[in-house]
Amino acid sequence: MAVAAARAAKDARKRAKQRCADERKALLGSIFQKYDDAKDGLMTKDQVGLAIFEKIGELPSTEELDFVFLVADQQPKDGKINLQEFSEAVNAYECYLEDFRNPDNDFSKLFDELDTDDSGGLNKEQLRNLLERYSSEGQVKDEDVEDVMRQADLGGDGEINRIELKLALAMWFQKMCTLLQYERHTEAS
């Protein structure tokens, strides 16, 4: 009896989760259709900004919209996005809002602490300071800073902005994990 009740509860949660996903998909589809002025299944950056505003209630800044569009415009990169890419754009913007719009969030605090010149972006020296905080070896080589900058600076402006901070950290942690694995492998040999 208890097993059947647990299974029924699990199934109900699964159905509720699927219902929420379906409702979100339908809502995004409806918003997409509303802003797809040409009715060709594609939206421009300006249309995406307005559609995000309708969904979230906040108009993304130019920098935020550029980043979200850069992440979402994949197949092909033609300056327009389809419905699936729009869904990814909304998800990316929602994640950004959760992580950086709240000044009390850990990522916001970290970025503000590192952005010592209040430029809104981390230059190579500020990026080095970030990487050294999370380095097992203390000092970080110039080539490592360059590598992380090249991979994480999606906007190509030579700085790591708020949106790119998580990517820079992910790149660095991946590099550090790979290095640790290599060191363990060579010690074992």
Side-chain angles (χ1 to χ4, degrees):
M1 183 74 163
V3 172
R7 187 173 296 134
K10 182 179 177 182
D11 289 344
R13 282 193 303 273
K14 186 176 178 180
R15 286 191 311 274
K17 188 176 180 179
Q18 184 61 49
R19 198 170 35 254
C20 286
D22 291 346
E23 288 171 5
R24 178 179 172 86
K25 186 176 180 179
L27 174 63
L28 291 177
S30 172
I31 293 171
F32 185 90
Q33 287 179 350
K34 179 178 177 181
Y35 289 95
D36 175 14
D37 294 338
K39 303 300 179 208
D40 60 357
L42 298 169
M43 284 198 306
T44 65
K45 193 181 292 185
D46 289 339
Q47 292 166 329
V48 170
L50 293 172
I52 286 175
F53 176 74
E54 180 166 325
K55 165 67 173 85
I56 297 174
E58 185 171 325
L59 192 61
S61 70
T62 302
E63 179 185 61
E64 292 165 344
L65 189 55
D66 286 346
F67 180 79
V68 164
F69 212 83
L70 183 67
V71 169
D73 185 16
Q74 297 295 317
Q75 301 290 327
K77 284 191 175 286
D78 59 358
K80 294 183 178 185
I81 64 172
N82 61 33
L83 177 57
Q84 181 180 342
E85 293 169 328
F86 173 63
S87 178
E88 293 168 14
V90 171
N91 288 339
Y93 190 65
E94 287 174 334
C95 287
Y96 164 73
L97 290 177
E98 289 172 15
D99 290 339
F100 292 103
R101 277 295 176 92
N102 179 353
D104 295 327
N105 180 290
D106 290 338
F107 282 110
S108 285
K109 288 178 183 178
L110 177 62
F111 187 89
D112 290 342
E113 187 178 321
L114 293 165
D115 183 20
T116 54
D117 58 0
D118 292 325
S119 67
L122 304 182
N123 61 34
K124 288 181 183 175
E125 199 53 42
Q126 293 163 327
L127 176 59
R128 178 186 307 280
N129 292 336
L130 169 68
L131 302 181
E132 286 177 350
R133 282 184 183 203
Y134 297 100
S135 173
S136 59
E137 301 182 10
Q139 289 212 332
V140 175
K141 296 183 238 173
D142 290 343
E143 65 191 51
D144 290 333
V145 174
E146 292 283 339
D147 189 39
V148 171
M149 180 67 79
R150 185 179 64 257
Q151 292 180 56
D153 180 20
L154 296 178
D157 60 0
E159 293 187 327
I160 301 298
N161 62 36
R162 287 182 183 277
I163 301 169
E164 297 163 335
L165 179 66
K166 279 178 112 175
L167 183 56
L169 282 170
M171 299 291 179
W172 183 242
F173 291 150
Q174 181 65 38
K175 189 173 189 84
M176 296 305 299
C177 286
T178 302
L179 183 64
L180 277 171
Q181 288 174 345
Y182 175 76
E183 288 173 358
R184 287 181 182 154
H185 177 72
T186 55
E187 287 175 1
S189 299

